[in-house]
Structures are given as C-alpha cells and as structure tokens.
Amino acid sequence: MREEKLKSAWDDVQMTRKQEDRIWRHARAEVHKKMNRKGKHWRFLSIGSAIASCMILAAVIAPMGLSLMNQQSVMAEYPIELPESEPGAWKHYALIHSAKASVMKDVNHFTSVISVNEEQKEIKLTYVPHHLTLVSCNEGTICTSAVTFMGYLGGLENVTEYLGTQLNLPLEGSIALNDDARELAIDLVDGVTVDFAADEVSDYLNYSSLLWNPQKELETYPVADPSVKPWMESRDGYRTVYWCDEYFPYRNQVRDVYEVHQSARCIEVIVSVFEEMKEMKAEGLKASKMVRQVIRNLFRDMEEAGMETDLETEQLIDVLWQAVRDDYQVTGVCNLSYCDAIEMQGIGCFVADWTGMLEYVAEFLYGEPVGNEAETAKILEETYEQYQNIDHRGNRRE
Amino acid sequence: MLDERDVLSIYTRHKNALYRLCYCYMGNVQDASDAMQNTIVKLLEREQAFESVEHERGWLMKVAANECRRLLKHWWRKREDLDEYPEYAVQEERYEENGILSMVMSLSVKYRVPIYMYYYEGYAVAEISQLLHVKESTILSQLRRGRQKLKVELEADGDLSGFAHRQKGVEGK
C-alpha cells in the first residue's frame, strides 16, 4: 500500500498557473538582461577573453618548464559544521586547495576535511566535494602539503604516514581516496558531487573578470534581499580582506579567508600598504603616488626574484582600497610558494610565512582566541620552525 | 539560441517533472521556483536543438539537479542561519499535507532525490546515476538507506505493507 502511495506521493506537487507564468516571465527577463549586460560590458568580457587566452597559452608552455601565470591557492576556512563522531573529541577543519594549471581543463579544486583529535594526537583526513569545489578533473586526488602543515600544527609528527596507514593510501604526493573514504566523506557532510560543465566554467570565468564590482556581483548573483551583502560579517565578528586571484569565481563567497601570494615579502608589503591606506582613509586621502610606487617596486622585486604575478598595480590597489573603504580587517594571510607546472598537477607547496596565518590556524587548533600574545608567539615560532623543516611533500628536509 | 516559442513548448512539456525534482531538492515552493527559473534561463540560453523529447527531458533534469545543488551550496545557505534574522524571514510554502510525502521530504536530499526519481519518475538506477552524475552503486546504496530510514518512519506510523516487497525488487532492476 505504502509503495503505491510512494508512487503517487508527489502528485500534489504542482505549480499554480500564476507560478508557472511568473517563472517563465522572470526567466525571459533574466536572459534579456544578461544579453544587454554582455553588450554593455564588452570591455570586461574582452579582458576576460584576454586573460583566458593568456592562461591557455600558459597551460601550453607550462609543461616546457615555463610556468607562466600558474598560481595555486590554498585557503583555510573556519571549521565547517560537521556531525561529531565522538562528541567533544574531534574537531574538523576544512582546507580548500585549488591548483590551477589552465582555464578549461586542469582546474583542480579540492577540499579536504581534517579532523583533529587533540587528546589522542590523531588526525583524520577526508576528501569532501565542497561548495567551493569547482571542477575536480583529478577527482580523488588531493594535495597533501597543506594537510601536512595542519598535521604538524596539530602535534602529529608523521601525518603523511599516519594518513597513509589510516586510509590505506599510497604515500605519493597526491593521495587517491578509495570509495569507502569518499563515501565516508560524503556521509560526513552530506555533500554532493559537483559537476559543472565546461561551458559553465567559461561563464564563471567571464563573470569573474568583473573584478571587485559589488554592484555587478549583486546583479549576477542576486541575493534574497539586496541589503544583504554577499560578504556579510561572520557571526563571530571577523571581517577579512580576501584577495583571491581574480579567476577564482567564488571569491566573494569565501569569507574569513585570506589569500595567498608568492612571497613573504610580498605579503609584508601588501599588509604595510593596507595599513598605510587605512591611515589615508582616516585622513580623507586617496591612494597616493607613494602607494603606487611601493606596489610597483614590489612587483619589480618579485619579477627580479623570478616570481610572477597576474595582478597589475592598479588592480591590487583597487582590491586593497575597496577593502579599506569597507573597513575590512586582515585576520589572516597565507602565503603560497610558487610551484612549477609539474607540481601544479594536484600537488603544491604551502608555506605559511606570515604570522597572521599562523595565528589564524593556531586559533583553530588550540581552540582559543589569540589573546595571550607571548604564549601564541611561542607556539607559532615552534610550529613555524617545524614547518620550515618539511618540504611540500611532507618529508623532513635534510 | 532556441526560439522562444520552442522553449515555451519544452517548458510546458516538462514543467511538472522539473518542478517536482526542484521541490524534492529544495524542500519548499520558493526555492523550488528559483531553481526552476534558473533552469529555464539555461534552456533559453541553449544554442543547439534537442535530438528528441527524451534528450530534452534528460538535459533539463540534469540542469535542474545541478542548479538545485548549486543553490543548496550557495554561500548564504551555508553560512548564515536565516532564522536568526527575522527581518529576512519568509514563510516557506510546502506541500507536505500528505503523510508519505512528508516522510520522504524529511529524509536528507541524497536519499529523497533518488527515491523520487526511482519511484515516482520511474527512472532505472542506471539512468539516475547518469542524470545525477553519481555512481550506480552509490545510488543503490542511497536507495537502500533511504528505504531503511523510511521504514523506520513507516513503522512508527504503523503501516509497512508493500514496502519490503518493493525493496527486494530494486536490487534486481
């Protein structure tokens, strides 16, 4: 009987005529609006196309050792809400790894959940298709380096080996998760597999070329109420500047995360520029020539050091200036070392050079706000020293 | 792009199945309508014609499922509990007056969607697997677990007749 009822359970789920009409009308209006917008913003799309072309070019020459424009982003998020398997004992942290080697094909975004049991000094790793996962073309492969880093912070020395044993996985730079582990991960967060089509990726890339334009963001992804900003302050009061690379389509959905550039010096300079800008704002000034010069020098230094950036001076100023204007705060910055094209295939180096990021991570792991400066500094110094002795594959450096 | 009249007739042909799928994912009328609208936008933007009605339906179901999953993963769903913002609260409309629907809808999305597609739409496991981009074995286990969960609900409700029989039938399909 029940089965019969199940077969007809959705019979009542039907749109009203009014609802049907409204959906049709709104959909048509949306498409017309999009078409008009494309016309008006050809400039942005051209920039998008140019960027895309450059990245495709980069993908072609990258295997030859010229890793032009490759950039890897490793981001950490606040602990996501997961059911506690053993209440009180495990803490879960999400790490999002995105390694981008080209625009259309080799866009690898991975998310793993790292579960830390402080009492038993154990760490579990699970791969999770996450809302920030864009395309997992190497699905089942994750970057181990950031995990290793987190493992060290968590007090587990041989995290790679542990993970290998625990999940019965090969200890290569990348880990292929078996079905059981994946199932576990999926169950854990009740997640769903992400399967964007290639043309959708392309759409997002075009969209993301509308760099830091809140109005455009709202038009593109309207929220329920226009007064709700996509970057609403998190409930615990953190507001963070996020300077994700401009191809990252979900950058405005990433909050309380900071980004990511190629050198510690770069981060230092950016933070000092940011501070400088805050003072300027207080004095009612705009970004000065001096700030521009500082950033130009920074990019020049990076170039001389063999590093590359795909941001222009003015873009960086825009990003920072907007952040200053909106009273964002830097709560964490992580710095990412540059990887060559081969290592970009799912593996990368993760180097946290700036204390802010370490503080940020420490706050997660030690479960308390970074209030005791001396104590925190000590922990950070130790963990940082530890980390410097590990290479990106999790091996101890000679 | 497809001609608007063609799109309208496609919409008319598949609107109920699409809407039910969206409702199954989203769990309320408002969100289901949003997902539905986004799906129709994608349809209006589509360049190529469909090869057949089956092709149309398969494409639409896939797009609608993706759209629902995208909405479910949207940042503000993940990040903010809107119950804490009464000023933005909307009275959600649902259809769960009938008992069995209410039971199915109380299951997690990953169970209720395969159950809907299998039992109501009559898709085979292999077809569901294709449409949802999930392995057949996963669909089977989701159906199995979903049924187990439903069974608990049904036991509480005191009516199990017919359900176990169908359970056996699924694996053989």
Side-chain angles (χ1 to χ4, degrees), chain A residues 1 39 77 97 176 189 193 274 350 364 371 385:
Chain A
M1 304 309 128
E77 270 205 323
H97 320 268
V189 293
T193 312
F274 186 73
F350 177 81
F364 291 166
E385 269 175 26

Side-chain angles (χ1 to χ4, degrees), chain A residues 217-233:
Chain A
E217 303 285 2
L218 285 172
E219 281 174 17
T220 314
Y221 282 136
V223 290
D225 185 309
S227 66
V228 181
K229 288 184 179 177
W231 47 88
M232 260 195 300
E233 184 173 321

